[in-house]
């Protein structure tokens, strides 16, 4: 049986903790439960304002995660220093705007090519794989390959929020085309953002996509069924 790999984003466990600046709930515990439930990796986004994940979390996650630790981060010098200190297995470069509620779109790799290329190189020199979160546009896929990244993560937000079946189909086509081109160029293909228990299946059907990063839907469901069960249910949906 083949599965699409599941990276569980634990940011919102930390969001709840930071709402009270208490110790609970601990995203580290969520990561360990996710792994026990079959997650193939753990993702944490260290934001510039530290609104959810803290450096303390990264430090303990680095010592405890047994699958793969993926650090999502903005392409800034501060974040590169932190990544070099904690040495996650993978970094995912994402754009970040201070007032945004969540990541709003993919990184414009075409525009930021020179800076991104230097960051990719520094991270890879330290043994860290680099994925770049991009919108499903072919010129962004090509630029991602040009800057030397290992992988793309295709932004599925427009697909997930499509307001009609026609737009949804169009968005799915864009994702499929981006995935095919990336695979042809030798990039690993990941996808994520706003995926949930209801909209994930058509993405799973795209053969080039090998891994999905999912956070909000799993944490939200975990409130009612528990973290283990929420991850398990998602994992079942990723069967091919
Ligand atoms: N991938 C990236 C690059 C993200 O920024 C996020 C949100 O932090 C996710 C995946 C997960 O999105 P969601 O929480 O909507 O599942």
């Amino acid at each position: 049986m083949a599965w699409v790999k599941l990276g569980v984003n634990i940011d919102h466990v930390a969001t709840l903790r930071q709402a009270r600046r208490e110790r609970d709930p601990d995203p580290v515990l969520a990561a360990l439960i996710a792994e026990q439930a079959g997650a193939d990796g753990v993702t944490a986004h260290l934001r510039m304002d530290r609104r959810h994940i803290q450096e303390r979390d990264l430090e303990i996650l680095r010592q405890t995660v047994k699958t793969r630790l993926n650090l999502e981060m903005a392409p800034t010098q501060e974040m590169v220093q932190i990544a070099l200190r904690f040495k996650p297995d993978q970094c995912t470069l994402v754009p970040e705007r201070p007032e945004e509620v969540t990541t709003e779109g993919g990184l414009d790799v075409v525009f930021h090519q020179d800076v991104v290329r230097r960051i990719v190189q520094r991270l890879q020199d330290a043994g860290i794989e680099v994925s770049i979160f991009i919108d499903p546009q072919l010129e962004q896929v090509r630029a991602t390959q040009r800057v030397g990244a290992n992988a793309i993560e295709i932004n599925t937000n427009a697909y997930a929020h499509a307001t009609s079946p026609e737009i949804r189909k169009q968005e799915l086509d864009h994702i499929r085309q981006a995935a095919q081109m990336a695979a042809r160029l030798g990039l690993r293909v990941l996808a994520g953002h706003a995926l949930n228990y209801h909209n994930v299946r058509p993405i799973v059907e795209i053969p080039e996509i090998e891994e999905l990063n999912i956070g909000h839907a799993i944490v939200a469901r975990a409130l009612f069924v528990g973290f283990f069960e929420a991850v398990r249910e998602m994992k079942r949906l990723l069967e091919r």
Side-chain angles (χ1 to χ4, degrees):
M1 205 180 289
W3 304 82
V4 176
K5 288 188 191 143
L6 174 61
V8 176
N9 181 315
I10 53 173
D11 292 349
H12 289 321
V13 178
T15 302
L16 187 54
R17 176 191 61 190
Q18 296 309 111
R20 286 290 179 92
R21 307 269 192 281
E22 294 283 356
R23 291 186 176 190
D24 285 322
D26 194 331
V28 175
L29 183 54
L32 301 182
I33 294 172
E35 284 189 322
Q36 285 179 351
D40 302 282
V42 171
T43 295
H45 183 176
L46 187 70
R47 294 189 66 104
M48 291 187 274
D49 63 6
R50 308 295 193 270
R51 75 171 73 148
H52 39 58
I53 294 294
Q54 308 293 309
E55 275 150 274
R56 166 266 182 207
D57 302 326
L58 289 182
E59 187 170 350
I60 305 177
L61 286 168
R62 182 59 296 180
Q63 293 167 26
T64 51
V65 165
K66 290 180 281 300
T67 52
R68 271 169 69 82
L69 180 60
N70 173 33
L71 170 61
E72 246 183 60
M73 57 180 234
T76 65
Q77 287 313 317
E78 183 206 5
M79 288 299 154
V80 170
Q81 290 306 330
I82 291 171
L84 295 177
R85 178 145 57 95
F86 293 115
K87 298 254 175 67
D89 300 284
Q90 177 179 299
C91 283
T92 300
L93 303 180
V94 298
E96 197 172 307
R97 207 170 55 81
E99 318 83 68
E100 69 190 5
V101 175
T102 179
T103 313
E104 286 172 345
L107 188 67
D108 188 345
V109 190
V110 175
F111 188 75
H112 297 291
Q113 226 169 117
D114 294 338
V115 175
V116 173
R117 183 183 286 111
R118 281 195 292 275
I119 290 179
V120 168
Q121 188 69 55
R122 282 187 75 191
L123 294 170
Q124 287 176 339
D125 285 349
I128 301 168
E129 282 187 27
V130 182
S131 174
I132 306 184
F133 184 61
I134 57 170
D135 292 330
Q137 295 163 0
L138 300 184
E139 69 270 25
Q140 296 295 343
V141 177
R142 287 191 210 98
T144 302
Q145 194 244 3
R146 279 202 300 275
V147 298
N150 305 89
I152 57 167
E153 179 176 334
I154 302 175
N155 182 5
T156 49
N157 194 49
Y159 156 78
H161 289 111
T163 47
S164 72
E166 292 74 28
I167 297 176
R168 176 168 286 222
K169 185 185 167 307
Q170 233 172 51
E171 293 300 336
L172 200 56
D173 284 345
H174 292 155
I175 294 170
R176 197 177 292 113
Q177 286 156 14
Q180 286 168 351
M181 167 168 281
R184 268 203 309 276
L185 294 175
L187 294 160
R188 290 174 52 231
V189 187
L190 290 65
H193 212 275
L195 294 177
N196 61 40
Y197 297 86
H198 306 286
N199 65 19
V200 77
R201 280 301 307 176
I203 301 292
V204 171
E205 310 276 314
I206 299 174
E208 289 81 8
I209 294 180
E210 60 178 74
E211 184 171 333
L212 298 179
N213 270 316
I214 305 181
H216 182 87
I218 291 176
V219 176
R221 182 136 182 87
L223 282 178
F224 304 107
V225 302
F227 214 80
F228 186 92
E229 189 52 31
V231 173
R232 262 235 136 17
E233 285 176 17
M234 185 56 81
K235 184 82 189 167
R236 267 183 227 124
L237 288 171
L238 304 199
E239 188 181 322
R240 262 189 188 135

